[in-house]
Amino acid sequence: MIEFKKVSKVYPNGTVGLNNIDLRIEPGEFVVIVGLSGAGKSTMLRSINRLHEISSGEILVDGQSITAARGRELRVMRRGIGMIFQSFNLVKRSSVLRNVLAGRVGYHSTIRTMLGLFPKRDMDLAFGALGRVNMLEKAYQRADQLSGGQQQRVSIARALAQEAKIILADEPVASLDPLTTRQVMDDLQRINRELGITTVVNLHFIDLAREYATRIIGVRAGEIVFDGTAEQATDEA
Ligand code: ADP
Ligand code: ADP
Protein backbone atom coordinates (compact mmCIF):
# COMPACT_ATOMS: atom_id res chain seq x y z
CA MET A 1 0.00 0.00 0.00
CA ILE A 2 1.16 3.49 -0.88
CA GLU A 3 -0.54 6.47 0.69
CA PHE A 4 -0.03 10.16 -0.02
CA LYS A 5 -1.31 12.45 2.73
CA LYS A 6 -1.53 16.08 1.66
CA VAL A 7 1.76 15.85 -0.19
CA SER A 8 3.29 18.94 -1.76
CA LYS A 9 6.61 19.28 -3.47
CA VAL A 10 8.02 22.69 -4.28
CA TYR A 11 11.38 22.69 -6.03
CA PRO A 12 14.09 25.06 -4.76
CA ASN A 13 13.43 27.42 -7.69
CA GLY A 14 9.79 27.78 -6.59
CA THR A 15 8.23 25.44 -9.18
CA VAL A 16 5.32 23.51 -7.72
CA GLY A 17 5.77 19.82 -8.59
CA LEU A 18 2.90 18.47 -6.47
CA ASN A 19 0.10 20.43 -4.87
CA ASN A 20 -1.52 18.87 -1.82
CA ILE A 21 -1.97 15.33 -3.18
CA ASP A 22 -4.08 12.72 -1.36
CA LEU A 23 -3.88 9.24 -2.83
CA ARG A 24 -4.12 5.59 -1.82
CA ILE A 25 -2.78 2.76 -3.94
CA GLU A 26 -3.70 -0.74 -2.76
CA PRO A 27 -1.43 -3.80 -2.90
CA GLY A 28 -1.41 -5.51 -6.27
CA GLU A 29 -2.80 -2.59 -8.25
CA PHE A 30 -1.43 -1.75 -11.70
CA VAL A 31 -1.71 2.02 -11.74
CA VAL A 32 -0.77 4.18 -14.68
CA ILE A 33 -0.18 7.86 -14.09
CA VAL A 34 -0.85 9.89 -17.21
CA GLY A 35 -0.31 13.53 -17.98
CA LEU A 36 1.55 15.88 -20.25
CA SER A 37 5.21 16.56 -19.87
CA GLY A 38 5.72 18.69 -16.78
CA ALA A 39 2.44 17.59 -15.15
CA GLY A 40 4.18 16.13 -12.11
CA LYS A 41 4.25 12.39 -12.87
CA SER A 42 7.92 11.97 -12.25
CA THR A 43 7.76 14.12 -9.13
CA MET A 44 5.08 11.78 -7.78
CA LEU A 45 7.12 8.63 -8.37
CA ARG A 46 10.33 10.09 -7.04
CA SER A 47 8.54 11.15 -3.90
CA ILE A 48 7.46 7.58 -3.14
CA ASN A 49 10.93 6.11 -2.67
CA ARG A 50 12.34 9.44 -1.57
CA LEU A 51 14.64 10.07 -4.49
CA HIS A 52 13.86 13.61 -3.41
CA GLU A 53 12.32 15.08 -0.29
CA ILE A 54 8.75 16.33 -0.32
CA SER A 55 8.06 19.81 1.03
CA SER A 56 5.06 18.93 3.17
CA GLY A 57 2.71 16.08 3.93
CA GLU A 58 3.59 12.44 4.41
CA ILE A 59 3.96 9.29 2.34
CA LEU A 60 3.29 5.87 3.83
CA VAL A 61 4.49 2.61 2.31
CA ASP A 62 2.90 -0.48 3.84
CA GLY A 63 1.56 1.68 6.61
CA GLN A 64 5.00 2.97 7.53
CA SER A 65 6.09 6.56 6.99
CA ILE A 66 8.91 6.70 4.45
CA THR A 67 8.90 10.47 4.97
CA ALA A 68 9.99 9.99 8.57
CA ALA A 69 12.25 6.97 8.00
CA ARG A 70 15.94 7.39 8.76
CA GLY A 71 19.13 5.40 8.21
CA ARG A 72 18.72 1.66 8.16
CA GLU A 73 14.95 1.91 8.31
CA LEU A 74 14.92 3.99 5.11
CA ARG A 75 17.33 1.61 3.37
CA VAL A 76 15.14 -1.37 4.19
CA MET A 77 12.04 0.43 2.93
CA ARG A 78 13.81 1.43 -0.30
CA ARG A 79 14.88 -2.16 -0.84
CA GLY A 80 11.23 -3.08 -1.23
CA ILE A 81 10.76 -0.55 -4.03
CA GLY A 82 12.23 -1.21 -7.48
CA MET A 83 12.73 1.76 -9.77
CA ILE A 84 12.70 1.66 -13.56
CA PHE A 85 13.73 4.65 -15.64
CA GLN A 86 13.27 5.76 -19.23
CA SER A 87 17.03 5.60 -19.76
CA PHE A 88 17.37 2.06 -18.26
CA ASN A 89 20.14 3.10 -15.82
CA LEU A 90 22.23 -0.01 -16.34
CA VAL A 91 25.99 -0.20 -15.96
CA LYS A 92 26.72 -0.35 -19.67
CA ARG A 93 30.03 -2.16 -19.57
CA SER A 94 28.89 -4.77 -17.06
CA SER A 95 27.22 -8.06 -17.86
CA VAL A 96 23.49 -8.46 -17.72
CA LEU A 97 23.92 -10.76 -14.72
CA ARG A 98 26.01 -8.17 -12.85
CA ASN A 99 23.38 -5.56 -13.53
CA VAL A 100 20.66 -7.80 -12.14
CA LEU A 101 22.80 -8.66 -9.13
CA ALA A 102 22.96 -4.93 -8.44
CA GLY A 103 19.42 -5.42 -7.13
CA ARG A 104 20.97 -7.46 -4.30
CA VAL A 105 23.49 -4.85 -3.23
CA GLY A 106 21.28 -3.31 -0.57
CA TYR A 107 21.12 -6.66 1.21
CA HIS A 108 24.84 -6.89 1.91
CA SER A 109 27.70 -5.10 3.58
CA THR A 110 29.68 -2.65 1.52
CA ILE A 111 32.80 -4.81 1.50
CA ARG A 112 30.99 -7.82 0.08
CA THR A 113 29.47 -5.62 -2.59
CA MET A 114 32.79 -4.01 -3.48
CA LEU A 115 34.35 -7.41 -3.91
CA GLY A 116 31.40 -8.46 -6.02
CA LEU A 117 30.79 -11.53 -3.89
CA PHE A 118 27.21 -12.64 -3.97
CA PRO A 119 25.92 -15.73 -2.16
CA LYS A 120 24.18 -18.51 -4.04
CA ARG A 121 20.76 -17.28 -3.03
CA ASP A 122 21.47 -14.01 -4.87
CA MET A 123 22.55 -15.86 -7.97
CA ASP A 124 19.36 -17.92 -7.83
CA LEU A 125 17.26 -14.79 -7.49
CA ALA A 126 19.12 -13.11 -10.34
CA PHE A 127 18.71 -16.03 -12.71
CA GLY A 128 15.09 -16.48 -11.66
CA ALA A 129 14.45 -12.82 -12.42
CA LEU A 130 16.15 -13.07 -15.82
CA GLY A 131 13.98 -16.08 -16.59
CA ARG A 132 10.82 -14.11 -15.85
CA VAL A 133 11.69 -11.52 -18.49
CA ASN A 134 13.02 -14.11 -20.95
CA MET A 135 16.56 -12.82 -20.81
CA LEU A 136 18.38 -15.87 -19.44
CA GLU A 137 20.31 -16.49 -22.62
CA LYS A 138 21.72 -12.94 -22.44
CA ALA A 139 23.04 -13.29 -18.89
CA TYR A 140 26.70 -12.98 -19.84
CA GLN A 141 26.33 -10.38 -22.53
CA ARG A 142 27.37 -6.79 -21.89
CA ALA A 143 24.41 -4.56 -21.13
CA ASP A 144 25.33 -2.11 -23.89
CA GLN A 145 25.14 -4.86 -26.50
CA LEU A 146 21.41 -5.23 -25.93
CA SER A 147 18.57 -3.44 -27.66
CA GLY A 148 16.66 -0.79 -25.72
CA GLY A 149 13.78 -3.15 -25.00
CA GLN A 150 16.13 -5.85 -23.76
CA GLN A 151 17.90 -3.34 -21.53
CA GLN A 152 14.58 -2.31 -20.06
CA ARG A 153 13.73 -5.95 -19.36
CA VAL A 154 17.07 -6.29 -17.56
CA SER A 155 16.14 -3.34 -15.38
CA ILE A 156 12.84 -5.07 -14.60
CA ALA A 157 14.82 -8.19 -13.68
CA ARG A 158 16.99 -6.07 -11.39
CA ALA A 159 13.86 -4.90 -9.55
CA LEU A 160 12.70 -8.52 -9.24
CA ALA A 161 16.07 -9.70 -7.94
CA GLN A 162 15.78 -6.92 -5.39
CA GLU A 163 12.61 -8.71 -4.19
CA ALA A 164 10.73 -5.46 -4.61
CA LYS A 165 7.11 -5.47 -3.50
CA ILE A 166 6.50 -2.28 -5.43
CA ILE A 167 7.77 -1.33 -8.89
CA LEU A 168 7.85 2.33 -9.90
CA ALA A 169 8.45 2.82 -13.61
CA ASP A 170 9.09 6.37 -14.81
CA GLU A 171 8.31 6.57 -18.53
CA PRO A 172 9.75 3.08 -19.07
CA VAL A 173 8.82 2.92 -22.75
CA ALA A 174 9.36 6.54 -23.77
CA SER A 175 12.49 5.72 -25.76
CA LEU A 176 11.25 2.42 -27.25
CA ASP A 177 9.55 1.61 -30.55
CA PRO A 178 5.91 0.42 -30.56
CA LEU A 179 6.66 -3.32 -30.70
CA THR A 180 9.26 -3.20 -27.94
CA THR A 181 6.98 -0.94 -25.92
CA ARG A 182 4.41 -3.70 -25.93
CA GLN A 183 6.92 -6.34 -24.82
CA VAL A 184 8.04 -4.23 -21.88
CA MET A 185 4.46 -3.36 -20.87
CA ASP A 186 3.50 -7.03 -21.20
CA ASP A 187 6.37 -8.00 -18.90
CA LEU A 188 5.31 -5.44 -16.31
CA GLN A 189 1.71 -6.64 -16.53
CA ARG A 190 2.61 -10.32 -16.26
CA ILE A 191 4.83 -9.69 -13.24
CA ASN A 192 2.07 -7.67 -11.61
CA ARG A 193 -0.41 -10.50 -12.15
CA GLU A 194 1.86 -13.43 -11.32
CA LEU A 195 3.73 -11.98 -8.36
CA GLY A 196 1.18 -9.43 -7.17
CA ILE A 197 3.78 -6.68 -7.25
CA THR A 198 2.16 -3.28 -6.88
CA THR A 199 3.07 -1.41 -10.04
CA VAL A 200 2.96 2.31 -10.75
CA VAL A 201 3.91 3.36 -14.26
CA ASN A 202 4.20 6.86 -15.70
CA LEU A 203 3.12 7.16 -19.33
CA HIS A 204 2.25 10.06 -21.54
CA PHE A 205 0.16 7.94 -23.94
CA ILE A 206 -3.42 7.54 -22.75
CA ASP A 207 -4.07 4.68 -25.20
CA LEU A 208 -1.35 2.57 -23.68
CA ALA A 209 -2.58 3.44 -20.20
CA ARG A 210 -6.10 2.27 -21.04
CA GLU A 211 -4.79 -1.00 -22.36
CA TYR A 212 -2.73 -1.98 -19.33
CA ALA A 213 -3.90 -0.14 -16.24
CA THR A 214 -6.39 -1.41 -13.71
CA ARG A 215 -6.55 2.20 -12.59
CA ILE A 216 -5.58 5.43 -14.29
CA ILE A 217 -4.58 8.58 -12.46
CA GLY A 218 -4.51 11.75 -14.52
CA VAL A 219 -2.19 14.51 -13.36
CA ARG A 220 -2.05 18.15 -14.40
CA ALA A 221 -0.10 21.00 -12.85
CA GLY A 222 0.78 18.90 -9.81
CA GLU A 223 -2.80 17.90 -9.06
CA ILE A 224 -4.86 14.75 -9.62
CA VAL A 225 -7.51 15.60 -12.20
CA PHE A 226 -8.74 12.05 -12.91
CA ASP A 227 -8.78 8.83 -10.92
CA GLY A 228 -10.70 5.88 -12.28
CA THR A 229 -10.72 2.64 -14.24
CA ALA A 230 -9.51 2.24 -17.80
CA GLU A 231 -13.18 2.05 -18.89
CA GLN A 232 -14.01 5.33 -17.20
CA ALA A 233 -10.99 6.91 -18.87
CA THR A 234 -12.42 5.78 -22.22
CA ASP A 235 -15.89 7.15 -21.47
CA GLU A 236 -14.55 10.54 -20.66
CA ALA A 237 -12.30 10.77 -23.68
P1 ADP B 1 6.37 14.93 -15.65
O1 ADP B 1 7.06 13.74 -15.09
O2 ADP B 1 4.89 14.81 -15.64
O3 ADP B 1 6.90 15.32 -17.00
P2 ADP B 1 7.78 16.39 -13.59
O4 ADP B 1 7.35 15.76 -12.35
O5 ADP B 1 9.11 16.02 -14.16
O6 ADP B 1 6.67 16.19 -14.71
O7 ADP B 1 7.76 17.96 -13.42
C1 ADP B 1 6.72 18.66 -12.75
C2 ADP B 1 7.07 20.13 -12.67
O8 ADP B 1 8.22 20.28 -11.83
C3 ADP B 1 7.46 20.74 -14.01
O9 ADP B 1 7.05 22.08 -14.00
C4 ADP B 1 8.95 20.65 -14.01
O10 ADP B 1 9.52 21.64 -14.84
C5 ADP B 1 9.29 20.88 -12.56
N1 ADP B 1 10.53 20.24 -12.16
C6 ADP B 1 10.86 18.93 -12.25
N2 ADP B 1 12.07 18.69 -11.74
C7 ADP B 1 12.53 19.91 -11.31
C8 ADP B 1 13.74 20.33 -10.70
N3 ADP B 1 14.70 19.48 -10.39
N4 ADP B 1 13.85 21.64 -10.42
C9 ADP B 1 12.87 22.51 -10.71
N5 ADP B 1 11.71 22.17 -11.27
C10 ADP B 1 11.55 20.88 -11.58
P1 ADP C 1 33.44 -16.69 -13.99
O1 ADP C 1 33.24 -17.70 -12.91
O2 ADP C 1 34.40 -17.10 -15.07
O3 ADP C 1 33.67 -15.30 -13.52
P2 ADP C 1 30.61 -16.99 -14.47
O4 ADP C 1 30.03 -17.52 -15.72
O5 ADP C 1 30.53 -17.79 -13.23
O6 ADP C 1 32.10 -16.60 -14.84
O7 ADP C 1 30.00 -15.57 -14.14
C1 ADP C 1 29.77 -14.60 -15.14
C2 ADP C 1 29.56 -13.29 -14.46
O8 ADP C 1 28.82 -13.44 -13.26
C3 ADP C 1 30.88 -12.68 -14.06
O9 ADP C 1 30.76 -11.27 -14.11
C4 ADP C 1 31.04 -13.20 -12.66
O10 ADP C 1 31.92 -12.36 -11.95
C5 ADP C 1 29.63 -13.14 -12.15
N1 ADP C 1 29.40 -14.15 -11.12
C6 ADP C 1 29.36 -15.51 -11.25
N2 ADP C 1 29.16 -16.11 -10.08
C7 ADP C 1 29.03 -15.12 -9.17
C8 ADP C 1 28.80 -15.10 -7.77
N3 ADP C 1 28.60 -16.18 -7.02
N4 ADP C 1 28.73 -13.89 -7.19
C9 ADP C 1 28.90 -12.79 -7.90
N5 ADP C 1 29.13 -12.74 -9.21
C10 ADP C 1 29.20 -13.90 -9.84
Side-chain angles (χ1 to χ4, degrees):
M1 187 267 281
I2 303 165
E3 188 169 7
F4 282 61
K5 291 170 133 177
K6 301 197 180 311
V7 173
S8 293
K9 166 70 181 174
V10 182
Y11 286 100
N13 67 1
T15 306
V16 176
L18 296 178
N19 186 15
N20 208 27
I21 298 264
D22 280 305
L23 174 68
R24 241 184 108 98
I25 294 173
E26 302 300 333
E29 279 195 277
F30 193 111
V31 176
V32 174
I33 301 174
V34 292
L36 299 175
S37 179
K41 306 183 295 295
S42 181
T43 305
M44 264 177 92
L45 280 201
R46 290 168 164 272
S47 298
I48 295 172
N49 65 345
R50 248 176 84 183
L51 280 186
H52 61 203
E53 301 293 335
I54 54 175
S55 310
S56 60
E58 186 174 34
I59 296 177
L60 308 182
V61 177
D62 271 336
Q64 195 182 349
S65 174
I66 193 160
T67 310
R70 296 285 174 265
R72 183 184 148 73
E73 190 190 1
L74 177 60
R75 285 198 300 279
V76 169
M77 289 186 83
R78 280 203 176 119
R79 223 152 62 179
I81 304 173
M83 191 85 195
I84 291 165
F85 300 93
Q86 172 179 349
S87 50
F88 321 129
N89 283 33
L90 300 178
V91 182
K92 292 180 173 22
R93 296 168 64 87
S94 283
S95 72
V96 164
L97 179 60
R98 284 255 161 230
N99 271 285
V100 175
L101 282 168
R104 302 304 303 161
V105 161
Y107 287 89
H108 302 297
S109 63
T110 314
I111 179 71
R112 236 183 202 287
T113 305
M114 284 173 66
L115 293 172
L117 293 171
F118 291 92
K120 170 147 191 322
R121 173 174 157 72
D122 289 5
M123 299 304 284
D124 292 345
L125 282 165
F127 281 112
L130 281 170
R132 285 213 176 257
V133 296
N134 292 309
M135 290 291 291
L136 267 180
E137 72 280 14
K138 305 282 186 196
Y140 300 105
Q141 217 153 306
R142 256 172 62 158
D144 60 4
Q145 291 174 342
L146 304 178
S147 70
Q150 289 172 334
Q151 290 190 48
Q152 199 56 296
R153 282 148 69 198
V154 171
S155 73
I156 294 171
R158 181 179 56 197
L160 292 180
Q162 188 183 325
E163 295 180 290
K165 303 287 180 288
I166 295 170
I167 287 183
L168 307 176
D170 195 358
E171 299 276 1
V173 296
S175 55
L176 303 179
D177 62 56
L179 177 69
T180 317
T181 287
R182 215 150 276 286
Q183 289 169 348
V184 168
M185 290 303 295
D186 284 347
D187 274 341
L188 287 172
Q189 185 177 60
R190 188 162 35 77
I191 285 160
N192 164 259
R193 288 180 177 167
E194 290 176 2
L195 303 177
I197 292 179
T198 309
T199 306
V200 187
V201 183
N202 284 353
L203 294 175
H204 55 262
F205 290 119
I206 182 78
D207 289 344
L208 210 54
R210 283 196 198 109
E211 197 171 330
Y212 288 94
T214 55
R215 175 178 174 192
I216 295 177
I217 293 173
V219 175
R220 190 168 68 201
E223 298 188 359
I224 293 176
V225 293
F226 177 89
D227 186 352
T229 63
E231 291 72 29
Q232 287 168 331
T234 308
D235 291 344
E236 310 224 336

